[in-house]
Each structure stands twice: as structure tokens, then as C-alpha cells.
Amino acid sequence: MESLKGSVFLVILHLLGGALSSSLIQLNNNGYEGIVIGIDPSVPEDEALIQQIKDMVTQASPYLFEATGKRFYFKNVAILIPENWKTKPDYVRPKLETLKNADVLVAETSPPGNDQPYTEQVGKCGEMGDRIHLTPNFLAGKKLLQYGPQGRAFVHEWAHLRWGVFDEYNNDQKFYLSKGKPTPVNPPNTKDMNNEEKKIICGCIVEFCTEKNHNAEAPNLQNQRCNLRSTWEVIRDSEDFKKTTPMSTQPPMPTFSLLQIGKRIVCLVLDKSGSMSSGNRLNRMNQAGKLFLLQTVELGSWVGMVMFDGAAYIQSELRQINSGTDRDALTRSLPTVAAGGTSICSGLRSAFTVIRKKYPTHGSEIVLLTDGEDNTISGCFNEVKQSGAIIHTIALGPSAAKELEQLSKMTGGSQTSASDQAQNNGLIDAFAALASGNGALSQRSIQLESKGFALQSSQWMNGTVIVDSTVGKDTLFLITWTTQPPQIFLWDPSGKKQDGLVVDRNTKMAYLEIPGTAMVGVWKYSLQASSQTLTLTVTSRASSATLPPITVTSKMNKDTGKFPSPMVVYANIRHGASPVIRARVTALIESVNGKTVTLELLDNGAGADATKDDGVYSRYFTAYDANGRYSVKIRALGGTNAATQRATPQQSGVMYIPGWIENGEIKWNPPPPETNNELQVKQVCFSRTSSGGSFVASSVPKAPIPDLFPPCQITDLKAKIQGDNLINLTWTAPGDDYDHGRAYKYIIRISASILDLRDKFNDSVQVNTTDLIPKEANSEEVFVFQPENTAFANNTDLFIAIQAVDKANLKSEISNIARVSLFIPPPESPSPTKNSTICLEVNSSISGLQFFKIMWKWFGEMQVSLGLH
Ligand SMILES: *[C@@H]1O[C@H](CO)[C@@H](O)[C@H](O)[C@H]1NC(C)=O
Ligand SMILES: *[C@@H]1O[C@H](CO)[C@@H](O)[C@H](O)[C@H]1NC(C)=O
Ligand SMILES: *[C@@H]1O[C@H](CO)[C@@H](O)[C@H](O)[C@H]1NC(C)=O
Ligand SMILES: *[C@@H]1O[C@H](CO)[C@@H](O)[C@H](O)[C@H]1NC(C)=O
Ligand SMILES: *[C@@H]1O[C@H](CO)[C@@H](O)[C@H](O)[C@H]1NC(C)=O
Ligand SMILES: *[C@@H]1O[C@H](CO)[C@@H](O)[C@H](O)[C@H]1NC(C)=O
Ligand SMILES: *[C@@H]1O[C@H](CO)[C@@H](O)[C@H](O)[C@H]1NC(C)=O
């Protein structure tokens, strides 16, 4: 095979920036296949790392097997090696594996120092996570004492990723009161105590907790999110579990393939059939294609082009993008005349031919755009599978072939759709989203703005675009119109008018490339036109190779929404490894009819949003108006309120082990990095847009669409004792339909038994909520009440849950269960009880370790035997 290492030197930066990826993992009998572990291009070259990854998985496989009752093991794993690492004879070119769809990413954190393995998990209990993050230090075994053996830690993270379980430890609250007694949340791991060498006090998995040893009362994420079920009960409910039976033999050792990322190879496969002449589609495809060729596709990539109608035509052989000349030459190959039928397979076959002239097809990418139906697509599914090419599909207009998404799914490509509403700019957004799935973040084209205007009689469109300091290289302003060129004015932040706009009358677009790095600040534009549609798109790249740009990635919870099951939109906004919080984030969801719904996405830890302030903004979508495709576009605006946080709070990670026992003495680890709680409230001004891909809705009834949407589950109910005998409840209001609108009423019930409250909610004591009127969704609710029928005596634990009901009498799921423990201190001798109440008020300025020490000390039994000072 020809070497794929080109002459173009790429500056390397983190690919971090939120995963929200699609995985290639398959469970075959009892073995997991197709796991992708990617090494980020920012990791310094170190061949030993590859062996360390192999060792970790090889150690992990028997742990996984034993911990799951001989049910699962790791069968094969692909390791993705960066392009800039030295090539070795046993490295091969990837097929569908990309860093973007890697299940595990190995990267340094920025800022460095926090080596805790963790899993990105944005969904509910039982939903798969997005990606496991590991650092080179962790893999090298430098953090053995803090996080335990790598293999076990990997199994812990695997459970988050694959089965959507949550942590059963809690680093923020190590003790809770039960019947007046402080009880540890994180029990010492007694099995490990017997380990001869270093006896680890707490932490890693030996077996998953089952209902027998699970503590349903402990305040931890697993209980809060999984309805008090143990990890094992959740795993037992998974699809994986249902389709396997325990093995009677030992599983084989995992095997590994070593894949080295090569140069990007892309072939555009563009529809020029007769239907493309309607609604200005061909021209819009030209505008969007030009943006892709001039800006989105990265320097050093190889690009070819094929167009098709009933047959296929090669427009351009593969050409490497080394300069603007290559980009311009490719734009001249875009199809200009629309006529003929639609044969998608002809187009795909022709693309394979183009690619094969220089490279094998596997690992290459095809961008397939079509507006037409074609009932012969399935005829080439086998060839597509065999080619190993990744197919990104773009469905244009309402009649694009229904099978397109299957091509994307089969090959791990992206799926987008665009309506005929030019002012929604869907086609340009779809092409702008086609940055490389393997490229360094510093090379990636980032969309700052995407707007459209349907102008009436001679109107001005005046607006601004923010260029923040993390971007500015290769900045491009692009304006399109539908009839006559508009007047266009553009000023940089210093007020200097910009000249040099390139006007392309044939394609009805104009663009300005800002030389060097665009000035940071507010750019102003004025456009004037009459009775036509204009669009404005601004893209840029990272301003420096070392400062990560602010990125937005987004996804839906599933590809298909079957009415009335709601969809969930997620947008992940990051600055390097840090989440960006308090930004204004909206999702524009457009149906095939062109009807657009705007949703404000929230990072409030309520409704669809799993975790507050983690930089992932979420919302339910229920406003279905038709069957068919819906496209999703995300807009994010930072402002005076946006702040970047140093690390994700409450991430699903391996527990930090406070210390170990050696020769009968406790050796403490240094306190964990306390970066988590440190909020760097920095003003971040930025704007971003990002295509969220598309999804397909089915079973939507004809209007009027019935209300079948209940309020969403309340997940953040908190209770505390106020005064002598009042209970103060707080939670975030759900809505009439999931997290939209206003619920009709609340039902609050209490019980002295946590399991009774969960399993016999209807029979538990109801609190009088006559005076409690629900507020608008996402408002803060407070309700203070005095429990009546319950003995509210010394040492009682009370459990409380809430259910919301809408006008149509649809009931939400029962909330998380809050608890209060009443402990009345005896009048005089306060000593042990005083200390125990301290446990409840976690003082965040006491480090986890100090707190652990304090409490460890309190448990006198250890004090004596271990000689703790
Ligand atoms: C928009 O800008 C143009 C030129 O910069 C100016 O003449 C016009 O008054 C502005 N219109 C509005 C509504 O601000
Ligand atoms: C209940 O607790 C909340 C939050 O801790 C507090 O803001 C509120 O004032 C309390 N309500 C009453 C009535 O005291
Ligand atoms: C509670 O009662 C409702 C009917 O009012 C029923 O639909 C529901 O299944 C019951 N829930 C439980 C947990 O028993
Ligand atoms: C509930 O409270 C309201 C007003 O606070 C009161 O009028 C009503 O009688 C109470 N209901 C019951 C069943 O106690
Ligand atoms: C509450 O119970 C604890 C023991 O569990 C006891 O020490 C304390 O005196 C009791 N408080 C009162 C007011 O009786
Ligand atoms: C409780 O705290 C006090 C000081 O706040 C301390 O003197 C006492 O020893 C503590 N009791 C125990 C059992 O640790
Ligand atoms: C928390 O602990 C620190 C140091 O131990 C102390 O200075 C501070 O006053 C405490 N804060 C509260 C609210 O108790």
C-alpha cells in the first residue's frame, strides 16, 4: 500500500471537545467486538502506550467475565494510532473506525493533573454512555494507588458506558444519617483488604452490587438515577443481558488490531437528477459544495467528485488539497445542469472507482447528497459494506430516498437533512458539519454563525457576529441570495470597512476570506435586498495550535422518534476539557414541511438534563407535526454569564482511593485534585452554530395531535428539616408535556420505608397539596409542610417522593426519593451527636480526604487497631 503520510504538516491539538458519538461495538455471543480505543493526536508519541492499552484490556476481560457471572468478555479491540506517530509494518489503515466514534479516548486533560478515568454519560439510567476517557498517566500505572489496577477501573467505566449504571459512591457526601447514626456512603471494600501487597481501602470493582448487598438508602447517583436499583439489577435489564447465557468455558483472550490514521480521502457523490432543478436545489447544492471545498475540508485531504442521475459521471479524480488553487479547481467541477433519473448505486460505484485508482476504499469517506427516491438502493448495500467506506448522507427536500439513513448507520457516517426553505440554511449547515472525524481540533472548521432572512420590499438586515479569541484563523464570511446580488457591507471590530468580497453571480453567492487571524470582537454586517432570501454563514478555525477552541457538538437520544415517545436534544459545549456553563443554547428543529420549533436547551440537571453545570445542555422535543425527517441545528451564545469550569462535576468515574494499608499502617494518598469545585467564572463571549444531524419521526397521527405527553419525571427533589418539625422540599418544576408548559398538580407522598414508597407509592401517606400550584416548567419550586399522620419522633427516617399530573390526568414517573432523618440531640451532653450532625452539612472547603480522615477517626474501631494519629 502506498504511504498515506503526506507532506503537509498538521499542527496537533486536542480532539477533545465532547463526544456524543456513535459506536461500532457489537455483542457477538458473549464477546464484545469492534471496541475502538483512540489515542488523541495531542498525546506525545510513545509506543509503550499501545502495550499498556493491550495490558489493560487483557486484565479487564477476566474481571468482566467473573463480575457478570461468566456472561461477557472483551473479544476484539481496535487501537487507533495518530497519523503523526511513526508507522510500523503491523499498522493497517482503519475501516469505519474514527476518533469521532471511538468508545475510549486516551488524552491528557487540560489542565493536566487530573487522571481520574471517567465516562461521558448524558442519558438516563440504562442508556449507553458516550465515551470513556483515560489518560496516559493512568494507563502507565502511575495512578495505581489512587484508582486501583487499570483493568478493574476499566470494567467500572465499561459498566457506565455499556449499561448506563451510575456510581455507588459519593465523593461529595461520604456519610448520611440513618436513624440518627452517621452511616458511610462508600463502604470499605473488604475483599481488597485481604489482598496481600497493598490493601486498598475502597474503590474498585470485585463484583457488581446486587439487590442483596446494595444499599438503596445511600445518597449516591445510582440510587438517584436508577430508582434505587442495584447496578446488577440494571445490567440484568439490559439488551446485552437478555440476549446472552452464561458460558461454560473460559473465554478467549482479547485480540487487538492496530490502526494508524491516514490522510483524509473524501469523494462527493452529488445528485443532478431532474428534480434538482426545482426549488433552486441545484444552485443551493453548489453554494454548499463550495463552502465545503473552499473551507470545511482540511488541508492535506484528498478530494474527488462524482455526479449522478440515472447514470454516474466522474467530475474530478482524487486531488490533494495543498492550496487555494486545488480548492478552486474542485469547485469548478460542481454540476451545473439538472436532468435525468436517480441511480444512487451508480453514483456510489463510481465513487469507489475514483478512490480505488489511488487508495483502498476502506476508511475513505463518501458524501452522498440526493433529493430523489430510488427503490434500487438496497441493491448495492453489500458492495457498500464490503467497501469499508464511511457514507455521510444528506437528504434534500421531502422526497429523498427513505433508505439513506440506513447507509449512514451501516457505515458509521453522519446523517443530515435539509428542507427547501432556503432561509433555514440547512444545506450549508449540513456541508459545514462535514469536518474530519480524525482531524486535530486546531484544523477543524468551526461554524460561528448561520442565519437566513426572507426579505420583503427593499429591507436592511443589520447584525453582528462575535469572533472570540479561541478562533479567527481562516475566517470566511459567506452570503447567498436567490435573485439579485444584495448590497453587502462588513466592518471589523475597529470599525474598518472590509473590501475584497468575491462575488460569484452564477452561484448567487459572495464570500470574504479574512487574511491571517481575524480581529477578536464584534464584527458588524449590513445587507440590503428586496423580495428575496439571503443567508449569512461565518466559519473559522482555532486561532492557535495550543489554545483549544470553544466547540459545540450535539446529538439526539435516538435516530427515530416513534410518536408519542419524545426525542431528547443534547448539545455539549466545551473549551478543551472544560465544560462551558451558563451559555444561551437553542435548538432549531425543522420538519420536512419546513415548520421550525425553537427549544431553549438547559443545563439545569432537571427534566431531560442529567447533570447540572456539566456543559451538556438538554431538552425534550415533543412538537411532532408530521412523519418523516426533522433536521436539528444548535445555536450557542456565550455572554456575560458564560463561565468555563475546570472539570466536569459528578462525572461517572472511578472512585478516588483515599489510601491503603501496608504493614498494618494506613498510607494516605495525597488529596485528590480539588479542581472540580473551583468555578472559574470567566466571561466568555462567543457564538457558534452546529448541525445536530437529523432524525425520522413515525406514527405521528393527523392533526389535531392528541396530548399523550405526561410531565417529565422530577429528578432533583431535595428535602431538609426546617425548625422543629417542618419539612422543606425543593425541586425543579416539570411541565405539562415533559419539560414544556405547566403541570396541573403535584402528588406528594411520604413513608418511613424507602422501598414501600417506591413500590407502593399509591398506598403511601399523601401530603395535602391543595395550596401548591405548579409553576412554569424549569422554575424552582419550594414547598414546606408539616407531616401529619406519621410518627415524627426522634430517630425516624422519612422518605418523600413527588409525582406531577397534567390537565389530561397523565402522570409523570415518580421522582427521585428524598430523605430526612430527624435526630433530636439530648439536651446536655452534646459530644458524639454534635459531630454526627456535622456530617450532613458538608463543608466544601474541607477536602474529601480531610473529611474522610475526620469520619474515619470517628469510627473508633479503626482508630485503635491502626494507630491513626
Ligand atoms: C442598517 O445599516 C444601514 C447601513 O449601514 C443603515 O443605512 C440603516 O439605517 C440600518 N438600518 C437599521 C434598521 O438599523
Ligand atoms: C426552603 O429551602 C429553600 C432552599 O434551601 C429556601 O430558599 C427557602 O427559603 C426555604 N423555604 C422556607 C419557607 O423557609
Ligand atoms: C397507582 O395508581 C394508578 C392508577 O391510579 C396506576 O395506574 C398505577 O399503576 C399505580 N402505581 C403503582 C406503583 O401501584
Ligand atoms: C388541605 O388543605 C386545605 C387548605 O390548606 C384545606 O382546605 C383542606 O381541608 C385540606 N384537606 C384535607 C384533606 O385535609
Ligand atoms: C434521640 O435518640 C438518641 C439515641 O439514638 C438519644 O441519644 C437522644 O437523647 C434522643 N433525643 C431525645 C430528645 O430524646
Ligand atoms: C467531637 O468534636 C469535638 C470538637 O468539635 C471533639 O473534641 C470530640 O473529640 C469529637 N468527638 C469524637 C467522638 O470524635
Ligand atoms: C469550612 O471549613 C473551613 C476550614 O476548615 C472553615 O474556615 C470555614 O469556616 C467552614 N465553613 C463553614 C460554613 O462551616
Side-chain angles (χ1 to χ4, degrees):
M1 198 205 307
E2 199 179 324
S3 163
L4 293 159
K5 306 207 123 208
S7 53
V8 184
F9 174 72
L10 297 181
V11 184
I12 300 305
L13 217 144
H14 272 259
L15 189 104
L16 281 175
L20 304 185
S21 62
S22 56
S23 167
L24 302 173
I25 298 173
Q26 296 209 331
L27 179 63
N28 189 354
N29 294 321
N30 301 78
Y32 286 107
E33 301 181 338
I35 301 161
V36 178
I37 302 186
I39 303 174
D40 191 88
S42 65
V43 173
E45 180 160 359
D46 177 14
E47 226 192 297
L49 189 60
I50 297 170
Q51 189 57 43
Q52 289 156 2
I53 293 172
K54 289 184 182 176
D55 291 347
M56 173 187 74
V57 178
T58 308
Q59 277 174 21
S61 193
Y63 287 137
L64 180 69
F65 189 68
E66 292 307 326
T68 59
K70 304 190 191 301
R71 224 169 246 275
F72 305 117
Y73 67 97
F74 297 120
K75 193 163 178 189
N76 67 54
V77 171
I79 302 176
L80 272 182
I81 299 160
E83 186 182 348
N84 57 331
W85 286 27
K86 210 170 96 220
T87 302
K88 307 205 68 188
D90 54 339
Y91 296 172
V92 298
R93 194 174 156 77
K95 291 199 168 86
L96 305 180
E97 301 86 357
T98 60
L99 274 183
K100 197 174 165 189
N101 62 23
D103 306 294
V104 182
L105 185 71
V106 179
E108 315 265 7
T109 54
S110 74
N114 187 353
D115 291 292
Q116 184 190 27
Y118 72 95
T119 304
E120 282 180 66
Q121 244 180 319
V122 300
K124 291 189 165 167
C125 180
E127 287 180 18
M128 286 187 197
D130 286 301
R131 170 175 286 185
I132 295 172
H133 289 258
L134 305 176
T135 68
N137 277 344
F138 165 79
L139 282 158
K142 292 182 188 162
K143 300 286 161 171
L144 212 53
L145 298 176
Q146 288 91 336
Y147 303 115
Q150 297 94 315
R152 287 193 188 188
F154 186 62
V155 172
H156 179 111
E157 296 310 321
W158 182 262
H160 292 304
L161 181 79
R162 189 65 194 178
W163 304 309
V165 300
F166 290 87
D167 285 327
E168 294 199 58
Y169 68 85
N170 185 344
N171 276 337
D172 296 333
Q173 190 183 342
K174 300 217 184 297
F175 290 84
Y176 65 98
L177 282 185
S178 176
K179 306 221 166 26
K181 285 217 177 72
T183 309
V185 177
N186 313 323
N189 188 334
T190 46
K191 282 216 169 168
D192 275 331
M193 288 284 208
N194 302 328
N195 189 330
E196 307 205 325
E197 293 249 279
K198 293 178 181 98
K199 296 181 182 167
I200 290 154
I201 294 171
C202 291
C204 29
I205 289 185
V206 174
E207 57 193 22
F208 293 113
C209 286
T210 66
E211 60 269 49
K212 292 201 189 73
N213 55 7
H214 172 71
N215 178 357
E217 295 190 4
N220 59 38
L221 271 185
Q222 172 68 21
N223 280 330
Q224 193 190 331
R225 301 270 175 83
C226 297
N227 203 8
L228 317 179
R229 288 180 301 159
S230 67
T231 311
W232 187 243
E233 285 169 276
V234 175
I235 297 174
R236 230 166 36 196
D237 277 349
S238 69
E239 287 305 310
D240 285 1
F241 193 93
K242 286 179 194 151
K243 63 183 199 198
T244 49
T245 48
M247 290 173 73
S248 51
T249 53
Q250 279 304 107
M253 301 254 284
T255 58
F256 298 90
S257 45
L258 303 181
L259 312 177
Q260 187 167 31
I261 287 161
K263 283 270 166 282
R264 185 178 194 196
I265 297 161
V266 199
C267 189
L268 300 181
V269 178
L270 306 174
D271 190 344
K272 61 149 295 255
S273 61
S275 53
M276 286 294 289
S277 62
S278 80
N280 204 19
R281 287 182 193 158
L282 189 76
N283 197 53
R284 285 172 58 216
M285 179 174 84
N286 270 265
Q287 295 165 346
K290 282 189 179 170
L291 174 69
F292 176 78
L293 295 167
L294 293 174
Q295 173 78 8
T296 313
V297 71
E298 298 80 6
L299 213 58
S301 310
W302 289 85
V303 181
M305 197 189 304
V306 165
M307 65 178 188
F308 67 95
D309 45 37
Y313 316 86
I314 294 174
Q315 295 292 97
S316 172
E317 301 292 351
L318 285 185
R319 181 179 180 129
Q320 191 172 28
I321 309 266
N322 290 317
S323 68
T325 319
D326 300 308
R327 295 183 183 272
D328 287 336
L330 280 157
T331 62
R332 287 193 291 275
S333 308
L334 288 161
T336 51
V337 181
T342 308
S343 171
I344 290 170
C345 286
S346 305
L348 293 175
R349 289 190 185 110
S350 199
F352 296 151
T353 308
V354 167
I355 295 167
R356 283 199 186 108
K357 288 179 192 166
K358 269 205 135 58
Y359 294 108
T361 44
H362 61 251
S364 64
E365 296 164 72
I366 285 173
V367 175
L368 171 65
L369 177 147
T370 186
D371 74 336
E373 292 178 28
D374 175 1
N375 53 21
T376 61
I377 290 195
S378 54
C380 55
F381 279 3
N382 268 337
E383 281 162 82
V384 166
K385 269 186 210 148
Q386 250 131 51
S387 75
I390 298 166
I391 303 190
H392 307 292
T393 58
I394 301 174
L396 178 54
S399 352
K402 291 195 178 60
E403 299 80 1
L404 280 183
E405 283 79 7
Q406 264 171 277
L407 284 170
S408 296
K409 218 186 230 155
M410 211 154 73
T411 63
S414 62
Q415 61 183 56
T416 47
S417 70
S419 73
D420 283 327
Q421 307 294 313
Q423 74 269 20
N424 291 340
N425 214 21
L427 202 52
I428 286 190
D429 295 337
F431 274 89
L434 290 169
S436 166
N438 283 323
L441 198 43
S442 58
Q443 292 295 309
R444 191 186 298 172
S445 171
I446 293 170
Q447 210 176 350
L448 306 186
E449 182 58 285
S450 161
K451 256 192 169 155
F453 322 95
L455 298 183
Q456 308 303 318
S457 56
S458 183
Q459 239 181 314
W460 279 102
M461 268 318 312
N462 299 347
T464 59
V465 177
I466 298 166
V467 175
D468 59 280
S469 61
T470 69
V471 293
K473 254 171 57 188
D474 286 354
T475 306
L476 181 90
F477 285 79
L478 181 144
I479 292 114
T480 71
W481 56 88
T482 45
T483 52
Q484 295 297 315
Q487 284 204 66
I488 303 172
F489 300 104
L490 185 64
W491 296 272
D492 74 11
S494 72
K496 185 164 166 257
K497 194 153 146 241
Q498 303 291 300
D499 304 313
L501 207 71
V502 178
V503 179
D504 176 350
R505 282 170 187 271
N506 289 332
T507 319
K508 300 197 172 86
M509 61 189 269
Y511 57 89
L512 178 69
E513 288 171 304
I514 310 295
T517 303
M519 189 183 285
V520 173
V522 179
W523 289 65
K524 288 203 182 80
Y525 61 85
S526 283
L527 312 174
Q528 191 196 30
S530 61
S531 315
Q532 59 169 327
T533 301
L534 306 184
T535 72
L536 171 85
T537 307
V538 184
T539 63
S540 189
R541 284 186 221 276
S543 55
S544 113
T546 47
L547 174 72
I550 293 171
T551 55
V552 177
T553 47
S554 59
K555 74 160 190 182
M556 305 296 297
N557 61 332
K558 53 195 173 195
D559 301 328
T560 317
K562 189 159 183 286
F563 184 89
S565 167
M567 298 290 299
V568 183
V569 203
Y570 301 104
N572 190 354
I573 309 186
R574 308 195 83 80
H575 183 202
S578 314
V580 175
I581 63 169
R582 291 182 231 153
R584 231 179 82 80
V585 186
T586 49
L588 290 96
I589 301 185
E590 190 191 5
S591 73
V592 273
N593 303 336
K595 192 187 144 197
T596 303
V597 173
T598 305
L599 298 180
E600 187 183 2
L601 307 188
L602 302 171
D603 187 10
N604 62 351
D609 191 61
T611 310
K612 187 179 161 79
D613 287 346
D614 66 346
V616 177
Y617 298 71
S618 331
R619 197 76 186 259
Y620 283 106
F621 169 81
T622 54
Y624 293 104
D625 79 312
N627 287 311
R629 295 187 174 100
Y630 287 71
S631 72
V632 183
K633 171 166 162 174
I634 306 293
R635 296 176 61 88
L637 271 181
T640 45
N641 272 337
T644 56
Q645 219 174 358
R646 301 190 65 185
T648 311
Q650 270 200 350
Q651 54 203 10
S652 289
V654 170
M655 183 183 165
Y656 186 87
I657 300 167
W660 69 98
I661 304 165
E662 213 173 57
N663 303 328
E665 265 187 64
I666 289 198
K667 306 272 175 154
W668 296 104
N669 273 317
E674 288 288 324
T675 47
N676 287 17
N677 304 331
E678 228 176 89
L679 191 65
Q680 287 187 314
V681 183
K682 260 197 312 202
Q683 176 172 319
V684 195
C685 276
F686 67 92
S687 73
R688 295 286 183 273
T689 59
S690 152
S691 164
S694 66
F695 65 91
V696 177
S698 65
S699 308
V700 180
K702 286 220 152 49
I705 292 172
D707 178 3
L708 299 180
F709 304 113
C712 63
Q713 185 193 21
I714 293 161
T715 55
D716 62 349
L717 179 67
K718 290 187 191 72
K720 64 178 187 197
I721 300 273
Q722 198 160 306
D724 282 342
N725 55 359
L726 292 176
I727 295 178
N728 179 334
L729 295 180
T730 53
W731 68 96
T732 305
D736 180 83
D737 297 338
Y738 291 92
D739 51 7
H740 300 277
R742 188 195 280 260
Y744 176 67
K745 64 171 183 183
Y746 292 118
I747 298 171
I748 297 175
R749 294 184 188 270
I750 55 182
S751 172
S753 152
I754 193 166
L755 291 179
D756 278 359
L757 190 60
R758 180 187 71 173
D759 300 332
K760 299 175 199 153
F761 184 76
N762 291 350
D763 302 335
S764 304
V765 176
Q766 188 166 354
V767 175
N768 185 346
T769 51
T770 313
D771 296 334
L772 173 59
I773 317 246
K775 290 189 185 146
E776 198 65 23
N778 296 304
S779 315
E780 290 216 0
E781 298 274 23
V782 179
F783 182 61
V784 179
F785 70 100
Q786 182 169 0
E788 292 160 37
N789 297 333
T790 320
F792 200 59
N794 189 10
N795 294 345
T796 330
D797 293 338
L798 263 195
F799 301 95
I800 307 149
I802 182 165
Q803 191 175 34
V805 186
D806 75 2
K807 286 189 295 291
N809 204 29
L810 296 170
K811 291 181 177 142
S812 71
E813 284 175 55
I814 293 154
S815 70
N816 67 298
I817 295 181
R819 65 179 294 151
V820 286
S821 175
L822 185 70
F823 182 70
I824 304 164
E828 283 310 313
S829 65
S831 141
T833 56
K834 268 276 169 55
N835 293 6
S836 66
T837 43
I838 295 170
C839 306
L840 272 191
E841 297 154 17
V842 174
N843 180 338
S844 61
S845 58
I846 297 180
S847 77
L849 179 62
Q850 270 174 295
F851 197 76
F852 189 89
K853 277 189 180 168
I854 293 167
M855 292 319 301
W856 194 265
K857 208 167 167 178
W858 199 85
F859 281 100
E861 70 266 44
M862 300 301 286
Q863 210 171 340
V864 182
S865 64
L866 298 170
L868 195 69
H869 45 276

